[in-house]
Amino acid sequence: MAGGMMVSGGGPPRKYEGRTTGYVILTCILAASGGLMFGYDVGVSGGVTSMDGFLKKFFREVYDRKHSANLNEGNYCKYDNQKLQAFTSSLYIAGLVATFFASYTSRRFGRRPTMQIASACFVIGTVLCAAAQNMAMLIFGRVLLGCGVGFANQAVPLYLSEMAPTHLRGGLNILFQLAVTVGIFFANLVNYGTEKIDPWGWRLALGLAGIPAALLAIGGVLLLETPNSLIERGQMEKGKRVLQKVRGTPNVQAEYEDMVAASEVAKSVKHPFRNIVKRRNRPQLVIAMLLQLFQQMTGINAIMFYAPVLFQTLGFKSSASLYSAVMIGCVNVLSTIVAVAIVDKVGRRKLLLQAGVQMFIAMLAIGIILGVQLKDTGGLPNGSAIVVVVLICVFVSGFAWSWGPLGWLIPSETFPLETRSAGQSITVSTNLLFTFIIAQAFLSMLCHMKYAIFLFFTAWIVIMTLFVIFFLPETKGIPIEEMQGVWGGHWFWKRYVPYDPALEQEMQAKNAADVNPQQEKIAQAI
């Protein structure tokens, strides 16, 4: 079975040899455990911030307000506290800073050591959070967890994209996002199980993050480095051996030569961050950054971070709110599995467009129901509360098979090797920046905007869907090293990467004659 193909713009494809081996599937699953840790941190924070034991120890003001909300603050403002939001958001601002160091280690030392650094940060941060005796210790633990997120989110998507054969790259790359959703679901289950263990249930919830941290540490020991990274760092023969192992065949010369050629171009780039802002790299840079902005402005992380808190705002009791969060986490996982199964068949654009319509309808309906029926005091009627939970599940399912995984997949598969680490660093840092903003601002926005916060996110869903229609080309089935040709054929982006018919004909002739593919690759990349 063909492992992928090399295309030259619109020329006839030349297939890479190889098959999908059990080894590459196993390595991708182990690597994706970095997403498990990220997801657990996302899910657990919303649960513990709704637990009385945690609030009494660190946020007494919020605890008092929570239990007197009906008399004073009202439904929408019971959790509005900057320190409480800082507990959640500190992880993401730390991850943002760590991303830039991770870009250096990923390029200089490889994807595997970068994942090992991430696992060390996760383990230490987990211990500090679970054993926290004061706010400083708690926040420092969250900062270390954030460093782990920065290093993991930098290395894992690159690792998956580079290890996967072209025809399965989308599905295997989405394993990272699937692991994130499994981590959120696992955290929701833990929150539900530990909520009644007073006053130390929150310590158990935070401490169980050690399980995914240990999985990533084991993966960091067992995994091989990617052939792309080995070749980029001059280990040519080792890179070829790894490529032969992961493709399950000794006949990998065509793909190997493409990697070597791309590596030569990459080595000529001494300042990748300076290079990435050049005109020819503008399309993938702009798209990567906007995808991260749009991913956060769907409102998904506002729901995932604060699901238990949000449901308590709607009038659910503590256990009921955690149970509803578990249900949403389950929908999130199942829908991401759908994405793994269909992304390389349906394509990226169709999934994003379909989900845009689904998310728009769900979020608009939530805003209208809350605007009409949820007052400052009291809860939603039972029937309306059930409808809101169902609508949130509809929204989450649309996100989970579209903007969730594709927001990471598309940037990781579009940057050329010479700017790939820098591009991934900018992608992750942009994501974490807007994640930090949402985490820090959502509870205050909920207090001041009330139901209109959901209409605010609805407007953003319209904007991002229009962006996909007009500015996002399809990248399904195109080898990473040939992605530049996509921009030259797009109505808007071709002004930055102009299409050259003469060069295209020359490449087609070389492809047909199978003459020196390495020189062809260098010419095209330049």
Side-chain angles (χ1 to χ4, degrees):
M1 179 174 67
M5 63 179 65
M6 187 184 77
V7 297
S8 186
R14 180 161 66 93
K15 291 183 177 180
Y16 294 146
E17 292 195 34
R19 58 189 176 84
T20 305
T21 62
Y23 180 80
V24 75
I25 299 294
L26 177 61
T27 58
C28 287
I29 290 173
L30 284 173
S33 62
L36 192 66
M37 186 70 227
F38 182 28
Y40 189 88
D41 284 329
V42 168
V44 78
S45 60
V48 297
T49 52
S50 69
M51 294 182 187
D52 286 347
F54 180 81
L55 292 175
K56 278 191 286 188
K57 184 166 184 64
F58 297 108
F59 305 98
R60 185 74 197 201
E61 178 186 345
V62 178
Y63 173 80
D64 293 338
R65 188 189 304 164
K66 172 184 174 182
H67 289 279
S68 61
N70 286 336
L71 299 176
N72 299 308
E73 300 292 340
N75 275 322
Y76 289 103
C77 296
K78 61 178 74 172
Y79 288 98
D80 181 21
N81 181 278
Q82 288 298 309
K83 289 183 180 179
L84 182 64
Q85 292 174 117
F87 164 74
T88 299
S89 65
S90 58
L91 183 147
Y92 304 100
I93 197 68
L96 190 159
V97 175
T99 294
F100 293 99
F101 294 97
S103 175
Y104 173 78
T105 62
S106 180
R107 182 178 171 117
R108 178 70 177 82
F109 302 107
R111 317 321 185 203
R112 180 170 168 260
T114 305
M115 288 189 283
Q116 291 172 331
I117 295 172
S119 67
C121 291
F122 281 141
V123 170
I124 299 172
T126 296
V127 172
L128 288 176
C129 284
Q133 298 300 315
N134 51 54
M135 180 65 74
M137 189 174 178
L138 182 70
I139 296 298
F140 185 57
R142 291 286 288 179
V143 166
L144 281 178
L145 290 173
C147 291
V149 167
F151 278 90
N153 285 18
Q154 167 72 18
V156 172
L158 288 182
Y159 188 93
L160 296 173
S161 286
E162 292 176 348
M163 291 294 274
T166 299
H167 70 294
L168 290 178
R169 186 180 64 237
L172 290 179
N173 192 283
I174 289 176
L175 284 176
F176 175 73
Q177 181 64 21
L178 176 61
V180 172
T181 64
V182 171
I184 293 172
F185 178 59
F186 179 50
N188 289 335
L189 287 175
V190 169
N191 288 335
Y192 183 69
T194 58
E195 185 258 341
K196 297 296 184 184
I197 306 175
D198 192 54
W200 53 271
W202 63 270
R203 293 190 186 276
L204 180 59
L206 294 176
L208 286 175
I211 295 175
L215 285 176
L216 183 61
I218 293 170
V221 173
L222 298 179
L223 295 176
L224 291 174
E225 185 57 86
T226 71
N228 308 65
S229 179
L230 290 168
I231 292 169
E232 183 182 14
R233 291 180 289 117
Q235 301 178 44
M236 313 304 247
E237 287 304 313
K238 186 175 181 180
K240 188 173 184 179
R241 289 196 302 272
V242 171
L243 184 61
Q244 290 171 336
K245 181 170 185 177
V246 298
R247 297 293 179 260
T249 177
N251 302 319
V252 295
Q253 192 62 26
E255 188 173 4
Y256 172 73
E257 287 175 346
D258 281 350
M259 289 181 180
V260 171
S263 174
E264 292 300 319
V265 175
K267 288 177 182 177
S268 69
V269 177
K270 302 300 182 184
H271 303 286
F273 282 97
R274 192 181 303 168
N275 182 269
I276 202 171
V277 299
K278 291 183 178 179
R279 186 178 180 86
R280 67 176 180 272
N281 292 319
R282 200 77 50 78
Q284 55 266 47
L285 177 63
V286 171
I287 285 175
M289 294 180 70
L290 285 179
L291 286 178
Q292 303 314 306
L293 166 64
F294 292 152
Q295 188 188 69
Q296 295 310 307
M297 298 313 292
T298 60
I300 186 65
N301 275 340
I303 291 174
M304 288 302 178
F305 291 156
Y306 300 115
V309 169
L310 180 61
F311 285 123
Q312 287 191 26
T313 294
L314 300 181
F316 287 70
K317 299 299 182 183
S318 181
S319 295
S321 68
L322 290 171
Y323 179 76
S324 298
V326 169
M327 186 166 57
I328 289 174
C330 183
V331 170
N332 197 17
V333 172
L334 295 176
S335 300
T336 306
I337 293 173
V338 172
V340 173
I342 67 176
V343 65
D344 288 313
K345 298 175 183 177
V346 175
R348 285 59 163 154
R349 275 174 54 88
K350 289 181 180 178
L351 282 176
L352 290 170
L353 292 174
Q354 180 279 326
V357 175
Q358 179 176 328
M359 293 160 63
F360 169 80
I361 294 172
M363 190 66 84
L364 179 63
I366 292 170
I368 292 172
I369 291 173
L370 296 186
V372 173
Q373 298 197 339
L374 183 64
K375 308 305 179 184
D376 279 346
T377 58
L380 281 174
N382 288 339
S384 297
I386 293 171
V387 171
V388 167
V389 172
V390 171
L391 286 170
I392 290 177
C393 288
V394 171
F395 170 83
V396 168
S397 67
F399 177 88
W401 63 53
S402 62
W403 285 96
L406 298 182
W408 294 108
L409 169 61
I410 293 172
S412 73
E413 68 182 2
T414 52
F415 285 107
L417 184 61
E418 64 267 23
T419 59
R420 193 169 299 157
S421 288
Q424 184 68 11
S425 178
I426 291 173
T427 298
V428 174
S429 61
T430 304
N431 182 282
L432 292 175
L433 172 63
F434 288 107
T435 304
F436 166 76
I437 292 171
I438 292 295
Q440 186 64 36
F442 175 71
L443 294 179
S444 297
M445 291 173 70
L446 181 65
C447 177
H448 292 89
M449 297 177 69
K450 298 181 170 57
Y451 69 90
I453 185 67
F454 296 97
L455 303 181
F456 169 79
F457 290 131
T458 301
W460 275 101
I461 293 171
V462 173
I463 294 170
M464 64 185 69
T465 303
L466 291 174
F467 174 82
V468 172
I469 292 173
F470 293 107
F471 298 106
L472 185 67
E474 182 57 70
T475 57
K476 179 188 73 171
I478 301 173
I480 295 178
E481 309 306 336
E482 299 293 329
M483 200 63 72
Q484 285 294 91
V486 171
W487 315 117
H490 188 269
W491 74 272
F492 180 80
W493 299 117
K494 65 183 179 182
R495 68 190 68 186
Y496 298 98
V497 186
Y499 175 69
D500 188 341
L503 180 60
E504 175 66 18
Q505 291 178 4
E506 179 183 352
M507 288 180 175
Q508 289 186 21
K510 286 182 178 181
N511 213 20
D514 198 20
V515 176
N516 202 346
Q518 181 171 335
Q519 291 182 1
E520 172 192 352
K521 178 50 130 181
I522 295 174
Q524 182 178 9
I526 293 174

